[in-house]
Coordinates of all heavy atoms in Angstrom, one line a residue:
I18 N 26.3 -94.2 -60.3 CA 25.5 -93.1 -59.9 C 26.2 -92.0 -59.1 O 26.1 -90.8 -59.3 CB 24.2 -93.6 -59.2 CG1 23.5 -94.6 -60.1 CG2 23.4 -92.4 -58.8 CD1 22.3 -95.2 -59.3
A19 N 27.0 -92.5 -58.2 CA 27.7 -91.6 -57.3 C 28.9 -90.9 -57.9 O 29.2 -89.8 -57.5 CB 28.2 -92.4 -56.0
G20 N 29.6 -91.5 -58.8 CA 30.8 -91.0 -59.2 C 30.9 -90.4 -60.6 O 31.9 -89.8 -60.9
S21 N 29.9 -90.6 -61.5 CA 30.1 -90.2 -62.8 C 29.7 -88.8 -63.1 O 29.8 -88.3 -64.2 CB 29.2 -91.1 -63.7 OG 29.6 -92.4 -63.6
A22 N 29.3 -88.0 -62.1 CA 28.9 -86.6 -62.3 C 30.1 -85.7 -62.4 O 30.0 -84.5 -62.5 CB 28.0 -86.2 -61.2
H23 N 31.3 -86.3 -62.4 CA 32.5 -85.4 -62.5 C 32.8 -85.0 -63.9 O 33.9 -85.2 -64.4 CB 33.7 -86.2 -61.9 CG 33.7 -86.4 -60.4 ND1 34.3 -85.6 -59.5 CD2 33.0 -87.3 -59.7 CE1 34.0 -86.0 -58.3 NE2 33.3 -87.1 -58.4
A24 N 31.8 -84.4 -64.5 CA 32.1 -83.9 -65.9 C 32.8 -82.6 -65.8 O 32.8 -81.9 -64.9 CB 30.7 -83.7 -66.6
V25 N 33.6 -82.4 -66.9 CA 34.4 -81.2 -66.9 C 33.6 -80.0 -67.4 O 32.8 -80.1 -68.3 CB 35.6 -81.4 -67.9 CG1 36.5 -80.2 -68.0 CG2 36.4 -82.6 -67.4
G26 N 33.8 -78.8 -66.8 CA 33.1 -77.6 -67.2 C 32.4 -77.0 -66.1 O 32.6 -77.2 -64.9
P27 N 31.4 -76.1 -66.4 CA 30.7 -75.4 -65.3 C 30.0 -76.4 -64.4 O 30.6 -76.7 -63.3 CB 29.6 -74.6 -66.1 CG 30.3 -74.4 -67.5 CD 31.1 -75.6 -67.7
A28 N 28.9 -77.0 -64.7 CA 28.4 -78.1 -64.0 C 28.6 -79.3 -64.9 O 29.2 -80.3 -64.5 CB 26.9 -78.0 -63.7
V29 N 28.1 -79.2 -66.1 CA 28.4 -80.2 -67.2 C 28.7 -79.4 -68.5 O 27.9 -78.6 -68.9 CB 27.2 -81.2 -67.4 CG1 27.6 -82.1 -68.5 CG2 26.9 -81.9 -66.2
S30 N 29.8 -79.6 -69.1 CA 30.2 -78.8 -70.2 C 29.4 -79.1 -71.4 O 29.1 -78.1 -72.2 CB 31.7 -78.9 -70.5 OG 32.0 -80.3 -70.8
A31 N 29.0 -80.3 -71.6 CA 28.2 -80.7 -72.8 C 27.7 -82.1 -72.6 O 28.1 -82.8 -71.6 CB 29.1 -80.7 -74.1
L32 N 26.8 -82.6 -73.4 CA 26.3 -83.9 -73.4 C 27.5 -84.9 -73.5 O 28.3 -84.8 -74.4 CB 25.3 -84.2 -74.5 CG 24.7 -85.6 -74.6 CD1 23.7 -85.8 -73.4 CD2 23.9 -85.7 -75.9
N33 N 27.6 -85.9 -72.6 CA 28.7 -86.8 -72.6 C 28.2 -88.2 -72.1 O 27.2 -88.2 -71.4 CB 29.9 -86.3 -71.9 CG 29.6 -86.1 -70.4 OD1 29.7 -87.1 -69.6 ND2 29.3 -84.9 -70.0
A34 N 28.9 -89.2 -72.5 CA 28.5 -90.6 -72.1 C 29.7 -91.3 -71.6 O 30.9 -91.0 -71.9 CB 27.9 -91.3 -73.2
K35 N 29.5 -92.4 -70.8 CA 30.5 -93.2 -70.3 C 30.1 -94.7 -70.3 O 28.9 -94.9 -70.0 CB 30.9 -92.8 -68.8 CG 31.9 -93.7 -68.1 CD 32.1 -93.2 -66.7 CE 33.0 -94.1 -65.9 NZ 33.2 -93.7 -64.5
I36 N 30.9 -95.6 -70.6 CA 30.6 -97.0 -70.6 C 31.8 -97.7 -69.9 O 33.0 -97.3 -70.1 CB 30.3 -97.6 -72.0 CG1 29.8 -99.0 -71.8 CG2 31.5 -97.5 -72.9 CD1 29.2 -99.6 -73.1
S37 N 31.5 -98.7 -69.1 CA 32.6 -99.5 -68.4 C 32.2 -101.0 -68.3 O 31.0 -101.3 -68.3 CB 32.8 -98.9 -67.0 OG 31.7 -99.1 -66.2
A38 N 33.2 -101.8 -68.2 CA 33.0 -103.2 -68.0 C 33.8 -103.7 -66.8 O 35.0 -103.3 -66.7 CB 33.4 -104.0 -69.2
E39 N 33.2 -104.5 -65.9 CA 33.9 -105.0 -64.7 C 33.7 -106.5 -64.6 O 32.7 -107.0 -64.9 CB 33.4 -104.3 -63.5 CG 33.6 -102.8 -63.5 CD 32.2 -102.0 -63.5 OE1 31.3 -102.5 -62.8 OE2 32.1 -101.0 -64.2
G40 N 34.7 -107.1 -64.0 CA 34.6 -108.5 -63.7 C 35.2 -108.8 -62.4 O 36.1 -108.1 -62.0
G41 N 34.8 -109.8 -61.7 CA 35.4 -110.2 -60.4 C 34.8 -111.4 -59.8 O 34.1 -112.2 -60.5
V42 N 35.0 -111.7 -58.5 CA 34.6 -112.9 -57.8 C 33.8 -112.4 -56.6 O 34.2 -111.6 -55.9 CB 35.7 -113.8 -57.4 CG1 35.2 -115.0 -56.6 CG2 36.5 -114.2 -58.7
A43 N 32.6 -113.0 -56.4 CA 31.8 -112.7 -55.2 C 31.2 -114.0 -54.7 O 30.6 -114.8 -55.5 CB 30.7 -111.7 -55.6
S44 N 31.3 -114.3 -53.4 CA 30.8 -115.5 -52.9 C 31.4 -116.7 -53.6 O 30.7 -117.7 -53.8 CB 29.3 -115.6 -52.9 OG 28.8 -114.6 -52.0
G45 N 32.6 -116.6 -54.1 CA 33.3 -117.7 -54.7 C 32.8 -118.0 -56.1 O 33.2 -119.0 -56.8
E46 N 32.0 -117.1 -56.7 CA 31.5 -117.2 -58.0 C 31.8 -116.0 -58.9 O 32.0 -114.9 -58.3 CB 30.0 -117.4 -58.0 CG 29.5 -118.7 -57.3 CD 28.0 -118.9 -57.4 OE1 27.4 -118.3 -58.3 OE2 27.4 -119.6 -56.6
G47 N 32.0 -116.2 -60.2 CA 32.3 -115.1 -61.0 C 31.1 -114.1 -61.2 O 30.0 -114.5 -61.1
A48 N 31.4 -112.9 -61.3 CA 30.4 -111.8 -61.6 C 30.9 -110.9 -62.6 O 32.1 -110.5 -62.6 CB 30.2 -111.1 -60.3
G49 N 30.1 -110.4 -63.5 CA 30.5 -109.5 -64.5 C 29.4 -108.5 -64.8 O 28.2 -108.7 -64.7
L50 N 29.8 -107.2 -65.0 CA 28.9 -106.1 -65.1 C 29.3 -105.2 -66.3 O 30.5 -105.0 -66.6 CB 28.9 -105.2 -63.9 CG 28.7 -105.9 -62.5 CD1 28.9 -104.9 -61.4 CD2 27.2 -106.4 -62.5
V51 N 28.4 -104.7 -67.0 CA 28.6 -103.6 -68.0 C 27.7 -102.4 -67.6 O 26.5 -102.6 -67.3 CB 28.2 -104.1 -69.4 CG1 28.4 -102.9 -70.4 CG2 29.1 -105.3 -69.8
S52 N 28.3 -101.3 -67.4 CA 27.6 -100.1 -67.0 C 27.7 -98.9 -68.0 O 28.8 -98.8 -68.7 CB 28.2 -99.6 -65.6 OG 28.1 -100.6 -64.7

């Protein structure tokens, strides 16, 4: 939410989308996210 507004252009040049996948360890357990 905080970082994806960096679209190129005036404020937003055109409709665009982003997808990401993350994995890591938290409290000694695996964690995985898709955004």
